Amino acid sequence: MPSVTHSQLTALTVSSMLFMEQMDGTILATALPSIAHSLHVGAVATSVALTSYIIGLAIFIPASGALADRLGSRTVLMAAIGIFVCSSLLCARAQSLPFLAVMRMLQGVGGALMVPVGRLAIIRGTPRDQLVRTMTWMMLPATLGPLLGPVVGGFITTWLSWRWNFYLNVPVGLLGLVMTWRFIPEIRDTHTPPFDLKGLWLAGGGLAVLSIFAELFSHAQGSWALWLELLGTGTVLLGLYARHAARTTSPLLDFSLMRFATFRISVLAGAASRIAVGSLPFLLPTFLQIGTGLNAAQSGIVTFVAPMGAIITRPLVPAVLKRWGFRRVLMINGVSAAVIFILIAGFQPWQPLWTLSLILIVAGGAQAVQFTAYNTIAYADIPATHMSAATSLYSTMQQIMLSGGICVAAGTLTVMGSLRGHAEPSLGDFSAAFLVTGLVSLLAAPLCATLLPSAGADMSGNRTEPAPRG
């Protein structure tokens, strides 16, 4: 029992970091007009505060596992939190947009190291039969952060100042530092291969360029020529990294881990699901305001209900997985996610808002089950010696797919606007975007069907099929 309690406290420690990062990533979008007015720049120019954070995040996510192996998990986590908190304070004091952009990039570096290393500490320090329950403690902020961010950011910006959006990170970060010192073990690998610096430049550079593309494309900033140039450059860099990784003994992102079926399916099926989920923070608020005529406050209240489904469902996830197993739960959830997106696409302005709120509550609950399962079974068959490499690759793929969701949604709106000949998205355009992302999420179901019925049985406790040997 003491090990379980310690595992839960470790998960709560990591969840505080995840909440801080997730909240910070979405809270700032509502403050951009206020920042533009305060710093005497154009509103469009302030988007650099978003893209600069993404650059720092994308470059250093691949290096998270390797740094933890060399320096120790507790050391890296405390350094990451310190970087995040200090850069948040400097962001709050910014008097110019270039200074704010540089500090936001530094924030991204801290964010890139916090959550992947924290997840690694949980996986290494939790007994396998307790990993599902522990992951439920950690994953709740992943649902809360993106949906609470716009609501909290709007309130703080309206009643206090945009600078307080950054000050908010300070108490959460200080709490994270204390909990990290107390509950995160110092685990390091004494026999580490040479650091893959070339891989960091290629993989990090490619991810950064593609993330900038996703940010500009989602906000319709820049020209088609710029978008294609960024997309092509990022793809080429990642292609060069793939060739480099195939020739390197210990690459930063080890694609050979895809040989493990549970890891491969979690990555690929999770990619389909994360594309859909990544589109929601972009699509939903705009859909409610432009498509259905709600004001910002009303749309914030409607989106606020989604985390309620997650909060209600999280305690039930271990029992659900124990009863039905990973394979069946993920297959059903893949289909249900598509149905939820279809229901949102069919919502009409004349319908009562409580019906949409009910759909979003169900969506929050489905996400709670889905991503706890994905984030657990991914490591079911990974050897202990490869855990840090697996965490780095998995975290990197998460970042790519969440950005990909924005691209899919924004691209659908752009194409629909071009076909129908109007610049401002209409209700029908949003319906099409929800349908497209819902169909993408449906791809997860057949991928999850290829899992063995016994996959992850020692984690879920489901014994309807014999667990695989070895």
Side-chain angles (χ1 to χ4, degrees):
M1 184 63 68
S3 62
V4 175
T5 302
H6 189 274
S7 298
Q8 291 174 344
L9 289 170
T10 301
L12 282 175
T13 302
V14 178
S15 74
S16 70
M17 306 173 203
L18 182 57
F19 181 80
M20 182 169 61
E21 185 202 9
Q22 293 277 2
M23 183 78 93
D24 185 85
T26 55
I27 201 172
L28 196 62
T30 56
L32 292 183
S34 180
I35 293 174
H37 177 75
S38 176
L39 300 182
H40 309 292
V41 296
V44 174
T46 58
S47 65
V48 72
L50 300 177
T51 54
S52 57
Y53 179 87
I54 291 172
I55 291 171
L57 188 73
I59 290 175
F60 281 90
I61 277 182
S64 56
L67 290 174
D69 281 346
R70 284 160 175 78
L71 304 177
S73 50
R74 184 197 297 154
T75 298
V76 172
L77 276 176
M78 294 193 70
I81 298 171
I83 291 171
F84 198 92
V85 170
C86 290
S87 56
S88 295
L89 281 170
L90 292 170
C91 284
R93 304 299 301 168
Q95 300 299 321
S96 69
L97 188 59
F99 182 82
L100 177 62
V102 172
M103 291 304 103
R104 282 285 288 167
M105 186 181 297
L106 192 59
Q107 252 192 325
V109 174
L113 299 178
M114 281 194 301
V115 177
V117 177
R119 182 187 288 123
L120 179 60
I122 290 175
I123 294 167
R124 283 175 165 171
T126 304
R128 291 174 66 82
D129 61 348
Q130 294 295 328
L131 192 56
V132 171
R133 188 174 300 277
T134 303
M135 280 292 184
T136 63
W137 286 65
M138 192 199 84
M139 289 306 300
L140 182 58
T143 305
L144 292 175
L147 294 169
L148 288 178
V151 179
V152 176
F155 176 85
I156 290 176
T157 303
T158 301
W159 296 104
L160 296 171
S161 163
W162 63 268
R163 300 181 187 277
W164 281 92
N165 290 313
F166 294 108
Y167 287 136
L168 186 65
N169 293 328
V170 176
V172 181
L174 292 177
L175 175 63
L177 278 174
V178 173
M179 294 182 71
T180 297
W181 177 258
R182 177 66 181 85
F183 300 115
I184 300 295
E186 183 72 291
I187 301 174
R188 60 165 56 92
D189 191 344
T190 55
H191 303 287
T192 56
F195 187 78
D196 185 14
L197 186 60
K198 182 178 180 180
L200 176 63
W201 287 115
L202 290 174
L207 288 171
V209 172
L210 289 179
S211 297
I212 294 170
F213 160 74
E215 185 66 29
L216 294 179
F217 185 71
S218 66
H219 291 88
Q221 295 174 1
S223 62
W224 278 99
L226 176 61
W227 295 340
L228 291 174
E229 183 178 345
L230 290 171
L231 180 61
T233 302
T235 303
V236 168
L237 285 172
L238 289 182
L240 290 173
Y241 173 77
R243 188 177 70 172
H244 163 76
R247 301 174 177 178
T248 303
T249 305
S250 301
L252 203 63
L253 297 176
D254 188 1
F255 293 115
S256 69
L257 293 170
M258 298 292 277
R259 70 184 183 275
F260 297 101
T262 46
F263 185 81
R264 180 178 66 252
I265 293 167
S266 181
V267 168
L268 297 179
S273 300
R274 287 186 177 92
I275 284 175
V277 171
S279 71
L280 272 181
F282 166 74
L283 273 181
L284 197 56
T286 316
F287 163 71
L288 291 171
Q289 294 178 52
I290 297 177
T292 66
L294 299 183
N295 60 38
Q298 290 172 322
S299 68
I301 293 172
V302 173
T303 58
F304 189 77
V305 303
M308 297 301 104
I311 292 172
I312 295 169
T313 307
R314 287 286 175 190
L316 306 177
V317 175
V320 169
L321 289 172
K322 184 175 182 178
R323 174 65 179 84
W324 287 290
F326 283 99
R327 179 176 179 269
R328 189 179 303 176
V329 168
L330 285 172
M331 285 172 58
I332 294 172
N333 225 46
V335 175
S336 66
V339 172
I340 288 168
F341 274 82
I342 292 171
L343 292 174
I344 297 175
F347 182 78
Q348 299 296 318
W350 51 264
Q351 292 178 275
L353 283 177
W354 67 264
T355 59
L356 180 60
S357 298
L358 182 60
I359 294 171
L360 294 177
I361 289 173
V362 174
Q367 288 179 29
V369 176
Q370 194 170 42
F371 291 112
T372 299
Y374 280 138
N375 283 281
T376 305
I377 198 172
Y379 305 99
D381 301 315
I382 300 293
T385 54
H386 290 73
M387 279 297 180
S388 60
T391 304
S392 294
L393 180 57
Y394 198 77
S395 300
T396 300
M397 294 302 295
Q398 280 183 311
Q399 174 64 24
I400 293 174
M401 293 310 151
L402 291 174
S403 298
I406 296 174
C407 288
V408 170
T412 304
L413 291 177
T414 301
V415 169
M416 294 302 297
S418 300
L419 292 176
R420 297 184 176 185
H422 52 250
E424 190 76 10
S426 66
L427 179 62
D429 297 338
F430 284 106
S431 296
F434 280 114
L435 285 173
V436 169
T437 51
L439 289 174
V440 171
S441 72
L442 188 60
L443 296 174
L447 287 169
C448 292
T450 63
L451 282 169
L452 292 174
S454 58
D458 57 341
M459 291 178 163
S460 66
N462 177 266
R463 297 296 180 182
T464 55
E465 296 285 343
R469 294 182 180 179

